[in-house]
Amino acid sequence: MAASQDTSAGGWSPALTLVLVVVLLAGALFGYDQGVISGALEGMQKELKLSATLVEVVTSWVTLGALVGSLAGGELADRIGRRKALLAAAALFTAGAAIEALAPGVAILVCGRLVVGFGVGVAAVAAPLYAAELAPAEKRGRLVSAYQLAITIGIFLSYLVDQAFAARGDWRIMLGVSAVPGVMLLIAMLPAVESPRWLVRMGRRDEARATIMRARPWVDPDVRLASIEASLRNEPASSSWSEVFAPMWRRPLMIGIGLAVFQQITGINAIIYYSDRIFKAAGFATPEAQTQATTWAIGAVNVVATFIAIAFIDRLGRRPLLIAGLVGMFVSLTAVGLAFLAIGKGSASPMLGTITLAALVVFIMSFAFSLGPVVWTVINEIFPGRVRGRAVAVATAVNWGAAFVVSEFFLTLVDGIGESATFGLFAFFCVVGGVWIYRQVPETKGRSLEQIETLWQDSPQVPPPVRAPA
Ligand code: BGC
């Protein structure tokens, strides 16, 4: 599903602004629903008397829903179109938020979490696809990166809302608030244009032409249509699932899956979800102090450091950012592990709380300029056009699967082996991930999608690369 190469420089239209708004809202909702649980758990646990297992279920089942949603999202976006898939995601976000906020008990609450998660998964596949297909080539990178930035902004906003309601422990408002941007996304999607590329693929050429004239009035619509048609000729209408797993694409698939797994098993969402609890264990006594630390040390730093990646990803390259980030994550996780070792030995002091706080800031910063945005960039560029949609959906689903395992078992692990060994384990995975990336992941900076395809030619039976029209 490579968006065709179109180098015609041009302006910006109201229709493209709407695409940007949609992408930002979808990303922000994704982030909000990821982050909000961190501050909501305390009040929820008090009101609903949740056991440790139920706390894990309430936290992590969003990810389970997202896993299924991302697998379904690729199919849905192909069948009903990118626009309607995003409309469906917005409806799911809104309905899920209402179910969560009004849930009379834990069973309905978990259903709400699953519905929200399903929406997150559909949006996680459909939004970058929608942005990539509608953006002019020279603006594509920035439009797609805007999605990751919006995720971090959503997480930050959720922490701000958590903070505002922490004293009252009002978890229903914290979860329910996401219905507002959900409705905003629904409203924004109504006048939004469909992807012309999808319309051409469905044989709706006239609508595609009208859409191009609205989105990019400065290009000749017939030239653009011809370019889309030519590039679609190189992609069979439907590739089968078995082609995604064919030996010739094993290497990019392993790289996509490996990156998706390492992004999660190095601990990011344990920190995003459970940061309040980590700060509590590190000596931050009141819920206000905990959410304050989470909001600024985790939420704000995550947003700011994402700009570092946007500035350097095309200059320094993917590999240096990934390796540097993993070094920073390793050092900070080791420091958190050692601080908890000291706390466990009874030497709790404000000093240890400060060390934990500083180490978590380094961790989130290192993640935000490396594994956060770079993993998604590489996953979206390593697959050949004819398997890209499904292969990206597989890597995304594996990412959610790994996120689910980490968030589901984090508290169990902490109970079983303690905080310090748990952070030690995350640090160990940083080393394994760093070595694996150094040996396996090629640099893709500055290479066209066709050049990237040639990287896999030492694998068995790789056909010559398909050239997209200029
Ligand atoms: C990851 C999410 C994570 C977020 C944090 C994303 O790239 O996929 O799992 O919560 O970054 O900013």
Side-chain angles (χ1 to χ4, degrees), residues 34 148 152 155 263-264 268-269 272 302 367 372 376 399:
Q34 287 262 86
Q148 169 72 19
T152 63
I155 294 175
Q263 191 202 48
Q264 295 298 329
I268 180 63
N269 282 318
I272 298 280
N302 195 17
F367 176 88
W376 292 121
N399 183 268

